Structures are given as structure tokens and as C-alpha cells.
Amino acid sequence: MSVLLGRKAPDFTAPAVLGNGEIVDSFNLAETIKGKYALVFFYPLDFTFVCPSELIALDHRMAKLKELGVEVMAVSVDSHFTHNAWRNTPVNEGGIGQVQYTMVGDMNHDICKSFGVESIGGDSYYPAGVSFRASFVIDKSGVVRAQHMNDEPIGRNIDELVRVVEALQFFEENGHVCPAGWNKGDAGMVNTPDGVAEYLAGNSDKL
């Protein structure tokens, strides 16, 4: 996996199914997220096992992510037509339903390669050629501020991704860094020796 922290997210143009169900041939990342926060959410394959639970969980957090101003797109090496078929399959039949975010088709694998998340097989549980379970939080300047990845059997915690966005925005707004376990509403920390001492004096027992 490439380390993209602090770097511009790789741009891409690819076919996609938008959150309103429209199928487009040329969805462009940079154009879509210009001046906005973004979450790029890679997953292995449509019509599989852990993946639908993650994508449904992501959809259930869309109201919160929209409130935070986050553009969300899910990416796999399936075609946009397969994405559309999965969206049109009811949840109780193994589908994901009408999810509210864009689903990008990375059929030539260029996107997962540019983000460094294409499996080559080996000792992980991923078959070669699919995308890892990888998540990238991008700021309003297009810079990657967080990236997470799990092996194939381990589903992601979508609430953690929401928390990371909230922490990023808290830092941008206040200039205070976010200590371990920080959640919205918690105190931040001034990143000086005195700030650390002040924070730990009142909060170390909660860590």
C-alpha cells in the first residue's frame, strides 16, 4: 500500500453510478471534490460477503457525512453495470439497495493501482487483482489526511471514519490536536509542552 498521507489524492476519471442512480461514463474525482472533503472507499468485489455489510453501513452514515460536507465514493474493480445491478438487488436478497453515494467502476485497475491498494495475492486473504478494504479521507485541498486498510475478512468501522473527519475538521477550526480516543465534544490539546501537561492533568485517567 502506498503511503499517501500529506500528498494530493491521485485523480481519476472512470465510469460510475451516482447516488441518484444515474450511470455516467466519465466521473472525475478532482472535479467532484474540489473545495470539499471526500472519502474514497475501496472494497474487493460486488456480490460478495463482508463487502455488502460495509457498503450498507456506509449508506446508513450518509446523512452524517453529508452534514460534514463529505463527498463519498466507493470503488472496486467491478463494472459500473455490475454496481448498478447490485444497487438494484434488495438487501434481503444479498444486494445493497439504493445507496446514496457514487460507485466507481475500476475495470482496468488504474485507480486501485494509483492509490496502491491492488492485491497481488501472497499471504493476505485477498485474491490477486482486487482492491483492498482501504479508506482515504481527503481534505478540502485534495490532500490525503488519513488512510486505513484491513485484510479481507475484517470489516471496517464506519463510525471511525466519521470520527476521523470530525477530528480533522476540529483541528482545522481550532488548531488543537486530537488526543487518543478523541470524539466530537471532547477537549483537544494544544501541541506545546504546557498544552500536553494541561491536557494530561485533566484527562489522563480517561485514556
Side-chain angles (χ1 to χ4, degrees), residues 3-206:
V3 178
L4 296 180
L5 284 174
R7 296 165 53 191
K8 286 278 189 179
D11 192 20
F12 59 79
T13 300
V17 184
L18 305 183
N20 64 5
E22 179 185 359
I23 297 175
V24 298
D25 292 327
S26 299
F27 174 87
N28 179 256
L29 176 67
E31 179 181 300
T32 301
I33 70 172
K34 186 176 181 179
K36 303 175 183 177
Y37 297 96
L39 170 62
V40 180
F41 193 87
F42 288 92
Y43 66 95
L45 289 168
D46 293 346
F47 291 100
T48 52
F49 315 110
V50 176
C51 295
S53 70
E54 290 190 313
L55 295 184
I56 292 167
L58 181 60
D59 188 57
H60 288 171
R61 274 85 178 162
M62 280 299 293
K64 182 61 178 179
L65 289 164
K66 287 179 180 178
E67 178 186 320
L68 294 169
V70 181
E71 288 286 334
V72 178
M73 55 232 65
V75 185
S76 78
V77 297
D78 303 278
S79 75
H80 48 311
F81 298 116
T82 305
H83 290 335
N84 190 52
W86 205 20
R87 289 181 83 257
N88 288 319
T89 302
V91 170
N92 62 0
E93 295 178 13
I96 57 173
Q98 304 292 306
V99 296
Q100 303 164 71
Y101 47 81
T102 295
M103 299 183 71
V104 179
D106 184 22
M107 291 176 287
N108 57 15
H109 300 214
D110 284 348
I111 304 172
C112 60
K113 287 176 180 175
S114 68
F115 278 78
V117 297
E118 183 186 42
S119 171
I120 59 172
D123 291 332
S124 85
Y125 292 99
Y126 291 100
V130 304
S131 299
F132 295 141
R133 298 192 194 289
S135 311
F136 295 83
V137 173
I138 301 168
D139 72 9
K140 294 169 78 171
S141 298
V143 175
V144 175
R145 296 301 179 190
Q147 63 184 84
H148 300 158
M149 182 173 64
N150 292 353
D151 208 346
E152 199 279 336
I154 306 167
R156 283 161 282 188
N157 184 333
I158 310 305
D159 290 328
E160 170 62 8
L161 297 175
V162 173
R163 188 193 74 87
V164 167
V165 173
E166 291 176 333
L168 171 62
Q169 294 182 356
F170 176 85
F171 168 72
E172 291 176 341
E173 292 166 7
N174 298 282
H176 292 183
V177 294
C178 300
W182 182 93
N183 284 289
K184 189 171 184 178
D186 291 347
M189 178 194 294
V190 178
N191 58 340
T192 65
D194 287 345
V196 174
E198 180 181 353
Y199 177 84
L200 293 178
N203 297 278
S204 62
D205 59 331
K206 305 171 190 174

